[in-house]
Amino acid sequence: MNLLTQNAKMKKTSKENKAKIFNFSIPAYKTRSGKVTCPFAKECVKYCYAQKGNYTRFPKAQELMEQKYKISKTDTFIPLMNEEIKKKKATHVRIHDSGDFYSINYLLKWIQITNDNKDVIFYAYTKSIKFFKGCINIPKNLKIIFSEGSKTDNLINTAKDRHARIFKSKELLSAAGYINASDNDLKAITDNKKVGLVYH
């Protein structure tokens, strides 16, 4: 199976940036068996994009994400992902367009994958802020965006940390000084650490 895929936004961003951007997905918030994949989610559960659209309308998409979650828990996940990255010739990998870092051990697997592929840029929106603050050495080619709406928003230093905030309109986003990453996914990892997304 393809561990890395491209949704419509990834394809559009790849074309605009002359890059090969792929994403890795696991079930949003919970697996079918009730395993929590977003342990620090709070208000965001109510408007989670990943629980809408194709994720809920197409059982096949759900099943693929369930399989990826199961693979992520195995010892073969790291070599399988390394092989997939090389096969796809990825320049960028977005970790999770659904789901999150559900445990420290799972995060450490991604740290290893990132270190194994230093010529690839990895990035992730996450509410697992607690895992990163003061206890993880983040590789330079891994760009983390802390997403507001978690149980631990108090850990986000909005003056220093790259973080994401959701707005009701582009006008409000711009007025607050945030960069709009709604259409171009790579806007999330520019020098402007204030990442804005328009609710849809």
Side-chain angles (χ1 to χ4, degrees):
M1 67 178 296
N2 290 322
L3 289 177
L4 296 176
T5 56
Q6 285 185 312
N7 58 29
K9 186 176 181 181
M10 295 296 109
K11 290 178 180 177
K12 180 176 181 290
T13 303
S14 291
K15 186 176 180 180
E16 290 177 354
N17 292 274
K18 296 181 180 179
K20 291 188 176 182
I21 309 166
F22 294 88
N23 53 277
F24 178 77
S25 310
I26 57 176
Y29 188 50
K30 286 183 179 181
T31 66
R32 288 175 181 169
S33 62
K35 300 292 184 182
V36 175
T37 60
C38 301
F40 298 97
K42 193 178 178 182
E43 287 91 350
C44 59
V45 176
K46 301 173 186 177
Y47 53 79
C48 179
Y49 170 76
Q51 294 190 82
K52 301 176 182 179
N54 294 348
Y55 299 97
T56 55
R57 287 183 297 172
F58 298 104
K60 187 176 180 181
Q62 287 183 334
E63 182 57 37
L64 287 173
M65 285 189 287
E66 292 282 338
Q67 290 179 31
K68 290 178 184 180
Y69 169 74
K70 290 175 182 176
I71 291 171
S72 77
K73 297 182 75 65
T74 69
D75 292 336
T76 60
F77 179 64
I78 293 173
L80 285 173
M81 184 56 70
N82 285 339
E83 182 182 348
E84 181 85 347
I85 289 167
K86 288 178 175 59
K87 183 175 71 175
K88 295 284 178 66
K89 297 180 180 179
T91 60
H92 298 74
V93 174
R94 175 172 170 176
I95 309 170
H96 309 132
D97 65 337
S98 65
D100 205 341
F101 298 104
Y102 55 78
S103 71
I104 285 286
N105 285 339
Y106 173 55
L107 170 57
L108 289 175
K109 289 180 180 180
W110 275 110
I111 296 289
Q112 183 60 55
I113 292 166
T114 303
N115 281 323
D116 289 344
N117 298 274
K118 295 187 181 297
D119 57 337
V120 178
I121 300 297
F122 296 79
Y123 64 106
Y125 290 85
T126 184
K127 290 181 172 64
S128 298
I129 304 158
K130 197 172 183 179
F131 292 165
F132 290 89
K133 287 286 185 174
C135 61
I136 291 292
N137 186 18
I138 305 173
K140 290 182 179 180
N141 58 322
L142 174 57
K143 312 297 182 183
I144 296 299
I145 308 112
F146 294 146
S147 296
E148 293 184 344
S150 75
K151 296 174 184 176
T152 56
D153 276 5
N154 61 298
L155 297 178
I156 302 174
N157 182 337
T158 56
K160 294 182 179 180
D161 295 330
R162 181 178 279 105
H163 66 283
R165 181 173 295 175
I166 294 176
F167 294 86
K168 291 182 179 179
S169 69
K170 290 181 180 179
E171 290 74 22
L172 290 172
L173 183 156
S174 180
Y178 282 69
I179 191 167
N180 186 2
S182 301
D183 299 318
N184 187 325
D185 215 47
L186 292 189
K187 291 284 182 70
I189 55 175
T190 66
D191 290 338
N192 186 347
K193 294 184 177 181
K194 299 170 73 173
V195 181
L197 297 165
V198 178
Y199 176 75
H200 60 285

